[in-house]
Structure formats: C-alpha cells, structure tokens
C-alpha cells in the first residue's frame, strides 16, 4: 500500500504543471487533456492498488461496497473522457478494444 501511495503522490506531483502548460504544437488542444487523462488513469490505478494491497486475491469485486462505489464513481468519468479523447485523434475502430479492460473493471466495481 505504501508503494501505491508513493506512486500516486509522484504522479500527482508530475501532473501538477499540466494546469499551466501551453504547448505550441499543432495538436496543442489535445496534448494537455491527453496527458491529464493519462495522469488521472495512473492516479486511479494507484488508488485501486492501495485498496487491493491488503488482499489482492479478493479482486475488485471483493472490496467493501462503499469502496467499490467510490472507485466506480472515479472510473466512470475517466472512461467517458477516454472515449472523447480517443475519438478526437483516432478512428472508432480500436476504441472498444482499448476500453475493454477498464469497462470490465467498472462492471466488477458495480457488482452489488
């Protein structure tokens, strides 16, 4: 759990400058949101890792209901943003494949 906490803290510190970033590239309008999304997904992973650290064999569905609801509430908007960003830069063809694992995780977290 401590390692996940350190990784989450490091990710937050690394992502903090993104709020002030003003890239000059042609695709600048997407760069900051994409990097922000990547950091948010990493933070979510660290949060999930901290929760599972005590007994990974339980898996996400074995977490307490209140924890699962909180994690699902964090993951759901991340999935929506991932879809939006994917479609802004890519064709829709690979989107379902790229989201499959996260959607499966979300379903496990929403299991009563």
């Amino acid at each position: 759990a401590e390692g996940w906490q350190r990784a989450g803290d490091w990710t937050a510190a690394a992502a903090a400058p993104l709020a002030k970033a003003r890239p000059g590239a042609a695709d600048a309008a997407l760069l900051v949101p994409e990097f922000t999304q990547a950091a948010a997904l990493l933070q979510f992973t660290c949060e999930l890792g901290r929760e599972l650290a005590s007994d990974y064999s339980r898996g996400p569905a074995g977490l307490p209901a209140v924890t699962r609801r909180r994690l699902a509430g964090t993951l759901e908007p991340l999935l929506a943003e991932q879809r939006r960003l994917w479609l802004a830069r890519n064709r829709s063809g690979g989107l379902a494949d790229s989201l499959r694992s996260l959607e499966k995780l979300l379903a496990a977290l929403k299991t009563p």
Side-chain angles (χ1 to χ4, degrees):
E2 289 177 28
W4 286 112
Q5 182 65 48
R6 283 192 307 277
D9 292 347
W10 182 90
T11 301
L18 288 171
K20 295 179 183 178
R22 302 293 177 258
D27 60 351
L30 282 175
L31 288 176
V32 172
E34 286 173 338
F35 279 108
T36 301
Q37 173 71 359
L41 286 168
L42 286 169
Q43 293 247 245
F44 173 79
T45 301
C46 291
E47 185 179 357
L48 177 63
R50 278 192 310 271
E51 294 296 343
L52 293 173
S54 62
D55 182 6
Y56 186 79
S57 66
R58 303 179 292 176
L63 293 170
V66 67
T67 302
R68 288 194 325 270
R69 280 192 300 273
R70 179 177 51 76
L71 290 168
T74 301
L75 182 56
E76 216 155 12
L78 290 174
L79 280 169
E81 180 67 354
Q82 189 66 22
R83 280 185 195 92
R84 185 187 77 76
L85 291 170
W86 178 282
L87 294 171
R89 194 180 286 276
N90 305 287
R91 290 187 224 146
S92 61
L95 178 59
D97 289 339
S98 74
L99 293 179
R100 187 169 290 119
S101 294
L102 291 174
E103 288 173 338
K104 190 175 177 180
L105 173 58
L106 181 60
L109 292 170
K110 287 184 165 187
T111 301

